[in-house]
């Protein structure tokens, strides 16, 4: 017997005699953002009666616990099927966002057909859990949870085997989203690092329509850039974050000082009545290359599979795109290979920007306002999401500061010759 832990998911092993090898169609090694996005798409798309066997190998059970461990923000086409699919988990969304330049001038950016959406992790885990429960009811999925860290993953001709302390899982396909080093080092490694607080003010002080994507009129680091981020839920509640694109994280005092300076700006001077939640992270921004394939039947997804956009630190949209593609491959019985998260030429353009930011030749704080105000914001955001074509990219390049970008291009070319790439 396998103990049921929440609707549609069984825990394995259920008893000591149960230990051994469990066979499944798909093993999701790591059930965080990337792994659960794949589970969500499988749950949505698997036909009734299919009984696709899926193992979730992760010591954490986010489907049952639904922790508030991330606030995922991203932009998407407001009228797209993807946006409709996400709708139950969207806490707030905006059709315009503000960017405040280093001189303190606020630019309100109309996002055109896009929207900027805020998804709280607890709501998204709930959305996935509901889809899994519905899939279990129509016997589309048979999900088992293996509550242990995965050890070695051994790839073979027809199956790959994932070892854990509670038994092994043999799967036709292993989708591994554990943290993984890049397959090939890059020239630049920065971090998008931040600390944010969900705060409540004593009196109504916020305009819920005013989402500040980047407030660059804040103290800047020696290398890279820093900005404030403020997403209001209502007139009294907002997520306020201090974010940097820079080489190293701050210490506790550094984040506290930065937030201490930012909060009065973000809240219009209103005193904080309560801090409801604190969120912190450090996301790689690098031109290093991440592998999508770790073996014949073992594929990498998520951050370890290169899903983080190097020039922004965003990954949520790429995770959803990859999950849709992978689920379609699995259900069609085709060989599984996650799509390239971003086009190669975007990776190269990001490499130039990162290089110029890291060596200080590009003035980080003015770069993003410049891009956003000299282009339709929709073009910039679609590029940063990896979905533009060459014409839009040429137009974008024409608005980037020429000197720093040409110097970065020359240094990048020399580096590639030296490295034989
Ligand atoms: C606080 C925070 C906020 C973010 N906000 C945004 C945002 O607003 N927009 C955006 O686009 N991106 C955002 N990101 C970036 C990115 O979307 C997330 O990091 C996302 O969760 C990445 O998904 P993932 O599956 O690669 O990693 P994770 O979600 O971290 O999942 C990895 C999973 O692997 C498991 N694991 C680790 N080791 C093992 C092991 N040995 N065996 C089995 N399982 C293991 C972990 O328990 C975890 O569940 C944010 C990241 C953080 C940290």
């Amino acid at each position: 017997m396998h103990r049921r832990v929440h609707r549609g998911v069984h825990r394995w092993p259920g008893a000591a005699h149960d230990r051994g090898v469990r066979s499944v169609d798909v093993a999701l090694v790591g059930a965080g953002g990337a792994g659960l996005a794949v589970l969500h798409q499988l749950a949505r798309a698997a036909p009734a009666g299919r009984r696709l066997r899926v193992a979730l190998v992760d010591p954490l059970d986010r489907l049952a616990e639904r922790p508030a461990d991330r606030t995922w923000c991203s932009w998407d086409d407001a009228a797209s099927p993807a946006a409709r699919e996400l709708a139950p988990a969207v806490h707030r969304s905006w059709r315009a966002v503000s960017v405040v330049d280093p001189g303190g001038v606020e630019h309100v950016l109309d996002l055109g057909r896009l929207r900027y959406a805020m998804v709280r992790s607890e709501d998204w885990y709930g959305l996935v859990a509901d889809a899994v429960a519905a899939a279990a009811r129509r016997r589309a999925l048979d999900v088992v949870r293996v509550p242990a860290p995965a050890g070695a993953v051994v790839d073979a001709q027809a199956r790959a085997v994932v070892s854990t302390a509670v038994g092994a899982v043999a799967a036709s396909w292993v989708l591994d989203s554990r943290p993984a080093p890049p397959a090939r080092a890059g020239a630049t490694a920065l971090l998008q690092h931040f600390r944010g607080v969900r705060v409540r003010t004593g009196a109504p002080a916020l305009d819920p329509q005013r989402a500040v994507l980047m407030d660059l009129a804040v103290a800047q680091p020696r290398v890279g850039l820093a900005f404030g981020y403020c997403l209001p839920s209502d007139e009294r509640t907002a997520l306020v974050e201090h974010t940097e694109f820079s080489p190293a994280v701050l210490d506790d005092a550094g984040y506290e000082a930065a937030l201490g300076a930012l909060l009065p700006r973000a809240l219009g001077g209103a005193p904080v009545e309560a801090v409801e939640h604190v969120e912190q992270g450090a996301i790689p921004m690098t031109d290093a290359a991440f592998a999508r394939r770790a073996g014949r039947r073992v594929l990498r997804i998520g951050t370890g599979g290169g899903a983080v956009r190097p020039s922004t630190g965003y990954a949520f949209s790429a995770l959803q795109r990859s999950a849709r593609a992978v689920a379609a491959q699995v259900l069609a019985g085709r060989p599984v290979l996650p799509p390239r998260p971003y086009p190669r030429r975007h990776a190269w353009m990001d490499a130039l920007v990162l290089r110029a930011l890291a060596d200080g030749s590009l003035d980080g704080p003015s770069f993003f306002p410049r891009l956003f105000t000299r282009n339709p914001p929709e073009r910039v955001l679609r590029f940063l999401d990896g979905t533009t074509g060459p014409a839009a990219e040429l137009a974008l390049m024409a608005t980037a500061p020429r000197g720093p970008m040409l110097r970065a291009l020359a240094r990048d070319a020399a580096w590639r010759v030296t490295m034989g790439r």
Side-chain angles (χ1 to χ4, degrees):
M1 281 294 286
H2 304 297
R3 271 182 292 146
R4 191 176 272 273
V5 285
H6 59 89
R7 288 170 301 156
V9 179
H10 295 80
R11 183 187 163 104
W12 179 76
H17 67 261
D18 212 8
R19 287 164 198 239
V21 179
R22 170 109 183 182
S23 279
V24 295
D25 299 298
V26 178
L28 296 170
V29 175
L36 292 181
V38 172
L39 181 66
H40 185 215
Q41 293 303 326
L42 289 172
R44 286 178 54 84
R50 171 73 187 261
R51 301 203 81 142
L52 187 84
R53 295 161 306 162
V54 181
L56 300 181
V57 186
D58 195 319
L60 302 180
D61 187 357
R62 290 194 168 85
L63 288 186
E65 285 156 21
R66 304 188 193 177
D69 57 4
R70 293 189 181 10
T71 306
W72 272 299
C73 294
S74 61
W75 47 95
D76 58 13
D77 224 309
S80 64
R84 280 199 296 280
E85 187 179 288
L86 201 58
V90 172
H91 175 69
R92 287 271 309 159
S93 67
W94 297 268
R95 298 301 289 262
V97 295
S98 288
V99 168
V100 181
D101 69 25
V105 178
E106 179 166 347
H107 306 272
V108 179
L109 310 175
D110 179 342
L111 300 185
R113 284 163 296 172
L114 302 181
R115 62 161 188 181
Y116 192 69
M118 179 200 227
V119 171
R120 292 179 170 180
S121 57
E122 57 271 42
D123 299 329
W124 190 72
Y125 300 139
L127 178 72
V128 178
D130 289 348
V132 169
R137 279 196 298 276
R138 58 176 207 277
R139 301 192 189 292
L141 286 193
D142 188 358
V143 182
V144 65
R145 188 173 110 70
V146 183
V153 178
V154 178
D155 195 31
Q157 188 70 14
R159 318 231 91 192
V161 178
V162 181
S163 305
T164 82
V166 297
V169 177
S172 304
W173 300 104
V174 172
L175 295 165
D176 191 345
S177 58
R178 289 175 295 176
R184 216 168 54 171
T188 316
L190 295 179
L191 292 171
Q192 193 230 69
H193 59 96
F194 55 90
R195 179 178 290 181
V197 282
R198 202 184 282 170
V199 290
R200 205 174 61 239
T201 59
L206 296 156
D207 173 2
Q209 302 308 323
R210 182 173 175 261
V212 180
L213 192 63
M214 296 180 114
D215 175 358
L216 292 137
V218 299
Q220 293 295 327
R222 206 176 48 77
V223 174
L225 63 139
F227 57 91
Y229 181 71
C230 178
L231 299 182
S233 291
D234 53 44
E235 290 177 343
R236 291 184 54 197
T237 320
L239 172 70
V240 180
E241 279 184 9
H242 172 79
T243 304
E244 294 194 10
F245 297 174
S246 64
V249 297
L250 303 182
D251 60 14
D252 204 49
Y255 286 118
E256 285 310 304
L259 271 174
L262 177 63
L263 279 165
R265 276 179 71 75
L267 304 177
V272 173
E273 187 183 73
V275 175
E276 295 179 346
H277 173 71
V278 180
E279 180 167 323
Q280 186 165 333
I283 303 167
M285 300 175 77
T286 174
D287 58 343
F290 290 85
R292 286 171 291 148
R293 183 181 286 289
R296 190 183 159 88
R297 297 196 163 266
V298 186
L299 295 316
R300 287 204 189 283
I301 55 172
T303 307
V308 174
R309 177 79 197 212
S311 60
T312 65
Y314 281 85
F316 190 72
S317 300
L319 297 183
Q320 309 308 319
R321 274 199 301 272
S322 168
R324 271 190 287 279
V326 164
Q329 292 164 354
V330 167
L331 292 170
R334 293 201 304 270
V336 173
L337 179 63
R340 186 180 292 286
Y342 306 101
R344 269 182 209 277
R345 57 182 191 283
H346 288 205
W348 171 72
M349 289 165 80
D350 278 15
L352 300 186
V353 170
L354 288 181
R355 182 184 279 277
L357 271 180
D359 69 15
S361 58
L362 183 66
D363 177 40
S366 63
F367 177 65
F368 284 98
R370 177 181 170 124
L371 274 193
F372 277 118
T373 52
R374 295 188 183 196
N375 291 279
E378 187 174 340
R379 178 191 292 156
V380 182
L381 291 178
R382 286 193 192 275
F383 167 70
L384 294 176
D385 201 22
T387 57
T388 42
E393 288 146 27
L394 281 174
L396 273 166
M397 279 164 85
T399 59
R402 198 158 301 158
M405 295 317 291
L406 285 175
R407 283 195 291 280
L409 184 80
R411 281 194 301 275
D412 181 72
W415 179 78
R416 283 176 201 277
V417 169
T418 314
M419 303 300 285
R421 294 190 183 169

